[in-house]
Coordinates of all heavy atoms in Angstrom, one line a residue:
M1 N -3.2 58.7 73.3 CA -4.3 57.9 73.7 C -3.9 56.4 73.6 O -3.1 56.0 72.8 CB -5.4 58.1 72.6 CG -6.2 59.4 72.8 SD -7.5 59.6 71.6 CE -8.9 59.1 72.5
K2 N -4.5 55.6 74.4 CA -4.3 54.2 74.5 C -5.2 53.5 73.5 O -6.2 54.1 73.2 CB -4.5 53.6 75.9 CG -3.5 54.1 76.9 CD -3.9 53.5 78.2 CE -3.1 54.0 79.4 NZ -3.6 53.7 80.7
C3 N -4.9 52.3 73.1 CA -5.8 51.6 72.1 C -7.2 51.4 72.7 O -8.1 51.6 72.0 CB -5.2 50.2 71.9 SG -3.7 50.2 70.9
E4 N -7.3 51.2 74.0 CA -8.6 51.0 74.6 C -9.4 52.3 74.5 O -10.6 52.3 74.2 CB -8.5 50.7 76.1 CG -7.8 49.4 76.4 CD -6.3 49.6 76.5 OE1 -5.8 50.2 77.5 OE2 -5.6 49.2 75.5
E5 N -8.8 53.5 74.6 CA -9.5 54.7 74.4 C -9.9 54.9 73.0 O -11.0 55.5 72.7 CB -8.6 55.9 74.8 CG -8.3 55.9 76.4 CD -7.3 57.0 76.8 OE1 -6.1 56.8 76.6 OE2 -7.8 58.0 77.2
I6 N -9.0 54.5 72.1 CA -9.4 54.6 70.7 C -10.7 53.7 70.4 O -11.6 54.2 69.7 CB -8.2 54.0 69.8 CG1 -7.0 54.9 70.0 CG2 -8.6 54.0 68.3 CD1 -7.1 56.3 69.5
F7 N -10.7 52.5 70.9 CA -11.8 51.6 70.7 C -13.1 52.3 71.1 O -14.2 52.3 70.5 CB -11.6 50.3 71.4 CG -10.5 49.5 70.8 CD1 -9.8 48.5 71.5 CD2 -10.1 49.6 69.4 CE1 -8.7 47.8 71.0 CE2 -9.1 48.9 68.9 CZ -8.4 47.9 69.7
E8 N -13.1 53.0 72.3 CA -14.2 53.6 72.9 C -14.7 54.7 71.9 O -15.9 55.0 71.8 CB -14.0 54.2 74.2 CG -13.9 53.1 75.3 CD -13.4 53.6 76.7 OE1 -13.5 54.8 76.9 OE2 -13.0 52.7 77.5
A9 N -13.8 55.4 71.4 CA -14.2 56.6 70.5 C -14.5 56.2 69.1 O -15.0 57.0 68.3 CB -13.0 57.6 70.5
L10 N -14.2 55.0 68.7 CA -14.3 54.6 67.3 C -15.7 54.7 66.7 O -15.8 55.1 65.5 CB -13.8 53.1 67.1 CG -12.3 53.0 66.9 CD1 -11.9 51.6 66.7 CD2 -11.9 53.8 65.7
S11 N -16.7 54.3 67.4 CA -18.1 54.4 66.8 C -18.4 55.9 66.5 O -19.1 56.2 65.5 CB -19.1 53.7 67.7 OG -19.3 54.3 68.9
E12 N -18.1 56.7 67.4 CA -18.2 58.2 67.2 C -17.5 58.6 65.9 O -18.0 59.4 65.1 CB -17.8 59.0 68.4 CG -18.5 58.8 69.6 CD -17.9 59.5 70.8 OE1 -17.8 60.7 70.8 OE2 -17.4 58.8 71.7
Y13 N -16.3 58.1 65.9 CA -15.4 58.5 64.8 C -16.0 58.0 63.4 O -16.1 58.7 62.4 CB -14.0 57.8 65.0 CG -13.0 58.0 63.8 CD1 -12.3 59.2 63.8 CD2 -12.8 57.0 62.9 CE1 -11.4 59.4 62.7 CE2 -11.8 57.2 61.9 CZ -11.1 58.3 61.8 OH -10.1 58.5 60.9
I14 N -16.5 56.8 63.4 CA -17.1 56.2 62.2 C -18.3 57.0 61.8 O -18.6 57.2 60.7 CB -17.4 54.7 62.4 CG1 -16.1 53.9 62.7 CG2 -18.2 54.1 61.2 CD1 -15.1 53.8 61.5
D15 N -19.1 57.4 62.8 CA -20.3 58.1 62.5 C -20.1 59.6 62.2 O -21.0 60.3 61.9 CB -21.3 57.9 63.7 CG -21.9 56.6 63.9 OD1 -21.9 55.8 62.9 OD2 -22.3 56.3 65.0
E16 N -18.8 60.0 62.3 CA -18.5 61.4 62.1 C -19.3 62.3 63.0 O -19.6 63.4 62.7 CB -18.7 61.7 60.6 CG -17.6 61.0 59.7 CD -18.0 61.2 58.2 OE1 -18.9 62.0 57.9 OE2 -17.4 60.4 57.4
E17 N -19.5 61.8 64.2 CA -20.2 62.5 65.3 C -19.2 62.9 66.4 O -19.5 62.9 67.5 CB -21.4 61.8 65.9 CG -22.6 61.7 64.9 CD -23.6 60.8 65.4 OE1 -23.5 60.2 66.5 OE2 -24.6 60.6 64.7
I18 N -18.0 63.1 66.0 CA -16.9 63.2 67.0 C -16.4 64.6 66.9 O -16.5 65.3 65.9 CB -15.8 62.2 66.7 CG1 -14.9 61.9 67.9 CG2 -15.1 62.4 65.4 CD1 -14.1 60.7 67.8
T19 N -15.8 65.1 68.0 CA -15.2 66.4 68.0 C -13.9 66.4 67.2 O -13.2 65.4 67.1 CB -14.9 66.9 69.4 OG1 -13.9 66.0 70.0 CG2 -16.2 66.9 70.3
I20 N -13.5 67.5 66.6 CA -12.3 67.7 65.9 C -11.1 67.3 66.7 O -10.2 66.6 66.3 CB -12.1 69.1 65.4 CG1 -13.2 69.5 64.4 CG2 -10.8 69.4 64.7 CD1 -13.2 68.7 63.1
Q21 N -11.1 67.7 68.0 CA -10.0 67.4 68.9 C -9.8 65.9 69.0 O -8.7 65.3 68.9 CB -10.2 68.0 70.2 CG -9.2 67.7 71.3 CD -7.8 68.1 70.9 OE1 -7.6 69.1 70.2 NE2 -6.8 67.4 71.4
K22 N -10.9 65.2 69.3 CA -10.8 63.7 69.4 C -10.5 63.1 68.2 O -9.7 62.1 68.2 CB -12.2 63.3 70.0 CG -12.0 62.0 70.9 CD -13.3 61.8 71.6 CE -13.1 60.8 72.8 NZ -14.3 60.6 73.5
C23 N -11.0 63.5 67.1 CA -10.7 63.0 65.8 C -9.2 63.1 65.5 O -8.6 62.1 65.0 CB -11.5 63.8 64.7 SG -11.5 63.0 63.1
R24 N -8.5 64.2 65.8 CA -7.2 64.3 65.6 C -6.4 63.4 66.5 O -5.3 62.9 66.0 CB -6.7 65.8 65.9 CG -7.2 66.7 64.7 CD -6.6 68.1 64.9 NE -7.1 69.0 63.9 CZ -7.4 70.3 64.1 NH1 -7.3 70.8 65.2 NH2 -7.9 71.0 63.1
E25 N -6.8 63.2 67.7 CA -6.1 62.3 68.7 C -6.1 61.0 68.1 O -5.1 60.2 68.1 CB -6.7 62.4 70.0 CG -6.3 63.6 70.8 CD -7.0 63.7 72.1 OE1 -7.2 62.7 72.8 OE2 -7.4 64.8 72.5
I26 N -7.3 60.5 67.6 CA -7.4 59.1 67.0 C -6.5 59.0 65.8 O -5.8 58.1 65.6 CB -8.9 58.9 66.6 CG1 -9.8 58.8 67.9 CG2 -8.9 57.6 65.8 CD1 -11.2 58.7 67.6
E27 N -6.6 60.0 64.9 CA -5.8 60.0 63.7 C -4.2 59.9 64.0 O -3.5 59.2 63.3 CB -6.1 61.1 62.7 CG -7.4 60.7 62.0 CD -8.0 61.9 61.2 OE1 -7.5 63.0 61.3 OE2 -9.1 61.6 60.6
A28 N -3.8 60.7 64.9 CA -2.5 60.6 65.4 C -2.1 59.2 65.9 O -1.0 58.7 65.5 CB -2.2 61.7 66.5
H29 N -3.0 58.7 66.7 CA -2.8 57.3 67.2 C -2.7 56.3 66.0 O -1.8 55.4 66.0 CB -3.9 56.9 68.1 CG -3.7 55.5 68.7 ND1 -3.1 55.3 70.0 CD2 -4.1 54.3 68.2 CE1 -3.1 54.0 70.1 NE2 -3.7 53.3 69.2
L30 N -3.6 56.4 65.0 CA -3.7 55.4 64.0 C -2.4 55.5 63.1 O -2.0 54.5 62.5 CB -4.8 55.8 63.1 CG -6.2 55.5 63.7 CD1 -7.3 55.9 62.7 CD2 -6.4 54.1 64.2
E31 N -1.7 56.6 63.1 CA -0.4 56.7 62.3 C 0.6 55.8 62.8 O 1.4 55.4 62.0 CB 0.0 58.2 62.3 CG -0.7 59.0 61.3 CD -0.1 60.5 61.2 OE1 1.1 60.6 61.5 OE2 -0.8 61.4 60.7
H32 N 0.7 55.5 64.0 CA 1.7 54.7 64.5 C 1.2 53.3 65.1 O 1.9 52.6 65.7 CB 2.6 55.4 65.5 CG 1.9 55.8 66.8 ND1 1.7 55.0 67.8 CD2 1.4 57.1 67.1 CE1 1.0 55.7 68.7 NE2 0.8 56.9 68.3
C33 N -0.1 53.1 64.9 CA -0.7 51.8 65.5 C -1.4 51.1 64.4 O -2.6 51.4 64.1 CB -1.6 52.1 66.7 SG -2.2 50.6 67.4
S34 N -0.7 50.1 63.8 CA -1.4 49.4 62.6 C -2.5 48.6 63.1 O -3.5 48.3 62.4 CB -0.3 48.5 61.9 OG 0.2 47.6 62.8
N35 N -2.5 48.1 64.4 CA -3.6 47.3 64.9 C -4.9 48.1 64.9 O -5.9 47.6 64.4 CB -3.2 47.0 66.4 CG -4.1 45.8 66.9 OD1 -4.4 44.9 66.2 ND2 -4.4 46.0 68.2
C36 N -4.9 49.3 65.4 CA -6.1 50.1 65.4 C -6.5 50.5 64.0 O -7.7 50.7 63.7 CB -5.9 51.4 66.3 SG -5.9 51.0 68.0
R37 N -5.5 50.7 63.1 CA -5.9 51.0 61.7 C -6.7 49.9 61.1 O -7.6 50.1 60.4 CB -4.6 51.2 60.8 CG -4.1 52.6 60.8 CD -3.3 52.9 59.6 NE -2.1 52.0 59.4 CZ -0.9 52.2 59.9 NH1 -0.7 53.3 60.7 NH2 0.0 51.3 59.8
I38 N -6.3 48.7 61.4 CA -7.0 47.5 60.9 C -8.5 47.5 61.4 O -9.5 47.3 60.6 CB -6.3 46.2 61.2 CG1 -5.0 46.1 60.3 CG2 -7.2 45.0 60.9 CD1 -4.1 45.1 60.9
V39 N -8.6 47.8 62.7 CA -10.0 47.8 63.3 C -10.9 48.9 62.6 O -12.0 48.7 62.3 CB -9.9 48.1 64.8 CG1 -11.2 48.2 65.4 CG2 -9.2 46.9 65.4
V40 N -10.3 50.1 62.5 CA -11.0 51.2 61.8 C -11.4 50.9 60.4 O -12.5 51.1 60.0 CB -10.1 52.5 61.8 CG1 -10.8 53.6 60.9 CG2 -10.0 53.0 63.3
D41 N -10.4 50.2 59.7 CA -10.7 49.9 58.2 C -11.9 48.9 58.2 O -12.8 49.0 57.4 CB -9.5 49.3 57.7 CG -9.5 49.3 56.1 OD1 -9.9 50.3 55.6 OD2 -9.3 48.2 55.5
T42 N -11.9 47.9 59.1 CA -12.9 46.9 59.1 C -14.3 47.6 59.4 O -15.3 47.3 58.8 CB -12.6 45.9 60.2 OG1 -11.4 45.3 59.9 CG2 -13.7 44.7 60.2
L43 N -14.3 48.5 60.4 CA -15.5 49.1 60.8 C -16.0 50.0 59.7 O -17.2 50.1 59.4 CB -15.2 50.0 62.0 CG -15.2 49.3 63.4 CD1 -14.8 50.2 64.5 CD2 -16.5 48.6 63.7
K44 N -15.1 50.7 59.0 CA -15.6 51.6 57.9 C -16.3 50.8 56.8 O -17.3 51.2 56.2 CB -14.4 52.4 57.3 CG -14.0 53.6 58.1 CD -12.9 54.3 57.4 CE -12.6 55.6 58.1 NZ -11.4 56.2 57.6
K45 N -15.7 49.6 56.5 CA -16.3 48.7 55.5 C -17.7 48.3 56.0 O -18.6 48.3 55.2 CB -15.4 47.5 55.3 CG -14.3 47.9 54.3 CD -13.3 46.7 54.2 CE -12.0 47.1 53.4 NZ -10.9 46.3 53.7
T46 N -17.8 47.9 57.3 CA -19.1 47.5 57.8 C -20.1 48.6 57.7 O -21.3 48.4 57.3 CB -18.9 47.1 59.3 OG1 -17.9 46.1 59.4 CG2 -20.2 46.5 59.9
V47 N -19.7 49.8 58.1 CA -20.6 51.0 58.1 C -21.0 51.3 56.7 O -22.2 51.6 56.4 CB -20.0 52.1 58.9 CG1 -20.8 53.4 58.7 CG2 -19.8 51.8 60.4
A48 N -20.0 51.3 55.8 CA -20.3 51.6 54.4 C -21.3 50.6 53.8 O -22.2 51.0 53.1 CB -18.9 51.5 53.5
L49 N -21.2 49.4 54.1 CA -22.1 48.4 53.7 C -23.5 48.7 54.3 O -24.5 48.7 53.6 CB -21.7 47.0 54.2 CG -22.5 45.8 53.7 CD1 -22.2 45.6 52.2 CD2 -22.1 44.5 54.5
Y50 N -23.5 49.0 55.5 CA -24.8 49.4 56.2 C -25.5 50.6 55.5 O -26.7 50.6 55.3 CB -24.4 49.7 57.7 CG -25.5 50.3 58.5 CD1 -26.8 49.7 58.7 CD2 -25.3 51.5 59.1 CE1 -27.8 50.2 59.4 CE2 -26.3 52.1 59.9 CZ -27.5 51.5 60.0 OH -28.5 52.1 60.7
H51 N -24.7 51.6 55.2 CA -25.3 52.8 54.6 C -25.7 52.5 53.1 O -26.5 53.3 52.6 CB -24.2 53.9 54.7 CG -24.1 54.6 56.0 ND1 -25.2 55.0 56.7 CD2 -23.1 54.8 56.8 CE1 -24.9 55.5 57.9 NE2 -23.5 55.4 57.9
A52 N -25.1 51.5 52.5 CA -25.4 51.2 51.1 C -26.8 50.5 51.0 O -27.4 50.5 50.0 CB -24.3 50.2 50.5
I53 N -27.3 50.0 52.1 CA -28.6 49.3 52.1 C -29.7 50.3 52.3 O -29.6 51.1 53.3 CB -28.7 48.2 53.2 CG1 -27.5 47.2 53.1 CG2 -30.0 47.5 53.2 CD1 -27.3 46.4 54.3
P54 N -30.7 50.4 51.4 CA -31.8 51.4 51.6 C -32.4 51.1 53.1 O -32.7 50.0 53.3 CB -32.8 51.1 50.5 CG -31.9 50.4 49.4 CD -30.8 49.6 50.2
A55 N -32.7 52.2 53.8 CA -33.2 52.1 55.1 C -34.4 51.2 55.3 O -34.6 50.5 56.2 CB -33.4 53.5 55.7
E56 N -35.3 51.4 54.3 CA -36.6 50.7 54.4 C -36.4 49.1 54.3 O -37.3 48.4 54.7 CB -37.7 51.2 53.4 CG -37.3 51.0 52.0 CD -36.7 52.2 51.4 OE1 -36.0 53.0 52.2 OE2 -36.8 52.5 50.1
N57 N -35.3 48.8 53.7 CA -35.0 47.3 53.6 C -34.2 46.7 54.7 O -33.9 45.6 54.7 CB -34.3 47.1 52.3 CG -35.1 47.4 51.0 OD1 -36.4 47.4 51.1 ND2 -34.5 47.7 49.9
V58 N -34.0 47.5 55.7 CA -33.1 47.0 56.8 C -34.0 46.8 58.0 O -34.6 47.7 58.7 CB -32.0 48.0 57.2 CG1 -31.2 47.4 58.4 CG2 -31.2 48.3 56.0
P59 N -34.3 45.6 58.4 CA -35.1 45.3 59.6 C -34.4 45.7 60.8 O -33.2 45.8 60.9 CB -35.2 43.8 59.6 CG -34.7 43.3 58.2 CD -33.8 44.3 57.7
D60 N -35.2 46.1 61.8 CA -34.6 46.6 63.0 C -33.5 45.6 63.6 O -32.6 46.0 64.2 CB -35.7 46.8 64.1 CG -36.4 48.1 63.8 OD1 -35.9 48.9 63.0 OD2 -37.5 48.3 64.4
E61 N -33.9 44.4 63.5 CA -33.0 43.3 64.0 C -31.6 43.4 63.4 O -30.6 43.3 64.1 CB -33.6 41.9 63.7 CG -32.9 40.8 64.6 CD -33.3 39.4 64.1 OE1 -34.4 39.3 63.5 OE2 -32.5 38.5 64.3
V62 N -31.5 43.6 62.1 CA -30.3 43.7 61.4 C -29.5 45.0 61.9 O -28.3 44.9 62.1 CB -30.5 43.8 59.8 CG1 -29.1 44.0 59.1 CG2 -31.1 42.5 59.4
R63 N -30.3 46.1 62.0 CA -29.7 47.3 62.5 C -29.0 47.2 63.8 O -27.9 47.5 64.1 CB -30.7 48.3 62.5 CG -30.3 49.7 62.0 CD -31.3 50.7 62.2 NE -32.6 50.3 61.6 CZ -33.3 51.0 60.7 NH1 -32.7 52.0 60.1 NH2 -34.4 50.5 60.2
L64 N -29.8 46.5 64.7 CA -29.3 46.3 66.1 C -28.1 45.4 66.1 O -27.1 45.7 66.9 CB -30.4 45.7 67.0 CG -31.6 46.6 67.3 CD1 -32.7 45.9 68.0 CD2 -31.1 47.8 68.2
R65 N -28.1 44.4 65.3 CA -27.0 43.5 65.2 C -25.8 44.2 64.8 O -24.7 44.0 65.3 CB -27.4 42.3 64.3 CG -26.4 41.2 64.5 CD -27.0 39.9 63.8 NE -28.1 39.4 64.5 CZ -28.8 38.3 64.1 NH1 -28.5 37.7 63.0 NH2 -29.9 37.9 64.7
L66 N -25.9 45.0 63.7 CA -24.7 45.8 63.2 C -24.2 46.7 64.3 O -23.0 46.7 64.5 CB -25.1 46.6 62.1 CG -25.1 45.9 60.7 CD1 -25.7 46.8 59.6 CD2 -23.6 45.7 60.3
H67 N -25.0 47.4 65.0 CA -24.6 48.2 66.1 C -23.9 47.4 67.2 O -22.9 47.8 67.8 CB -25.7 49.0 66.7 CG -26.3 50.0 65.8 ND1 -27.4 50.7 66.1 CD2 -25.8 50.5 64.7 CE1 -27.6 51.6 65.1 NE2 -26.6 51.5 64.2
K68 N -24.3 46.2 67.4 CA -23.8 45.3 68.4 C -22.4 44.9 68.0 O -21.4 44.9 68.8 CB -24.6 44.1 68.6 CG -24.6 43.5 70.0 CD -25.7 42.5 70.1 CE -26.0 42.1 71.5 NZ -27.1 41.1 71.6
V69 N -22.2 44.6 66.7 CA -20.9 44.2 66.2 C -19.9 45.3 66.3 O -18.8 45.1 66.8 CB -21.0 43.8 64.7 CG1 -19.7 43.8 64.0 CG2 -21.8 42.5 64.5
I70 N -20.3 46.5 66.0 CA -19.5 47.7 66.1 C -19.0 47.9 67.5 O -17.9 48.1 67.8 CB -20.1 48.9 65.5 CG1 -20.3 48.8 64.0 CG2 -19.4 50.2 65.9 CD1 -21.2 49.8 63.4
R71 N -20.0 47.7 68.5 CA -19.6 47.9 69.9 C -18.6 46.9 70.3 O -17.7 47.1 71.1 CB -20.9 48.0 70.8 CG -21.5 49.3 70.9 CD -22.4 49.5 72.1 NE -23.5 48.7 71.9 CZ -24.7 49.1 71.3 NH1 -24.7 50.3 70.8 NH2 -25.7 48.3 71.1
L72 N -18.9 45.6 69.9 CA -18.0 44.5 70.2 C -16.6 44.8 69.7 O -15.5 44.6 70.4 CB -18.4 43.2 69.7 CG -19.6 42.6 70.5 CD1 -20.1 41.3 69.7 CD2 -19.2 42.2 71.9
E73 N -16.5 45.3 68.5 CA -15.2 45.6 67.9 C -14.5 46.7 68.6 O -13.3 46.8 68.7 CB -15.4 46.0 66.4 CG -15.9 44.9 65.5 CD -14.8 44.2 64.8 OE1 -13.7 44.6 64.9 OE2 -15.1 43.3 64.0
N74 N -15.3 47.6 69.3 CA -14.7 48.6 70.0 C -14.2 48.2 71.4 O -13.5 49.0 72.1 CB -15.8 49.7 70.3 CG -16.1 50.5 69.0 OD1 -15.3 50.4 68.1 ND2 -17.1 51.4 69.1
G75 N -14.4 46.9 71.7 CA -13.9 46.3 73.0 C -14.8 46.5 74.1 O -14.4 46.2 75.3
E76 N -16.1 46.8 73.9 CA -17.1 47.0 75.0 C -17.7 45.6 75.2 O -18.9 45.5 75.0 CB -18.1 48.1 74.7 CG -17.6 49.4 74.7 CD -18.7 50.4 74.3 OE1 -19.9 50.1 74.5 OE2 -18.4 51.5 73.8
S77 N -16.9 44.7 75.6 CA -17.5 43.3 75.7 C -18.3 43.1 77.0 O -18.2 43.9 77.9 CB -16.4 42.3 75.7 OG -15.4 42.6 76.7
Ligands
ZN101 ZN1 -3.8 51.4 69.0

């Protein structure tokens, strides 16, 4: 897989809504691509922070903004 394909699949990967096959392809890519590893690590921290906030305390605007950030990080500019 190319880095661009990795970026496209990253949000699925982070949400764990990805197929096993695709997940393996991403993990194989991450083993030899430190650049994508950094992106995944950053996204995981962002998502972890997001999940740490009780849902009722997250305004829709914040939620949308987080999703936007994740998409931007994925390269969908
Ligand atoms: Zn890469």
Side-chain angles (χ1 to χ4, degrees):
M1 282 177 103
K2 295 175 186 169
C3 291
E4 297 86 74
E5 292 175 282
I6 297 297
F7 294 151
E8 281 171 23
L10 274 180
S11 64
E12 296 172 62
Y13 177 79
I14 297 292
D15 288 341
E16 291 168 13
E17 288 173 0
I18 197 163
T19 62
I20 294 293
Q21 174 61 28
K22 212 166 193 181
C23 193
R24 284 187 184 143
E25 285 176 39
I26 292 173
E27 281 168 358
H29 180 95
L30 293 180
E31 277 187 21
H32 63 80
C33 185
S34 58
N35 194 40
C36 285
R37 270 206 303 274
I38 290 165
V39 174
V40 169
D41 197 52
T42 305
L43 282 175
K44 277 184 174 170
K45 282 175 189 158
T46 306
V47 172
L49 187 70
Y50 168 60
H51 284 308
I53 305 167
E56 65 265 29
N57 292 339
V58 181
D60 284 346
E61 194 192 335
V62 174
R63 217 184 312 241
L64 288 171
R65 195 167 291 180
L66 273 170
H67 288 171
K68 212 171 195 174
V69 167
I70 290 168
R71 275 199 292 273
L72 282 174
E73 294 265 0
N74 285 351
E76 292 178 25
S77 53

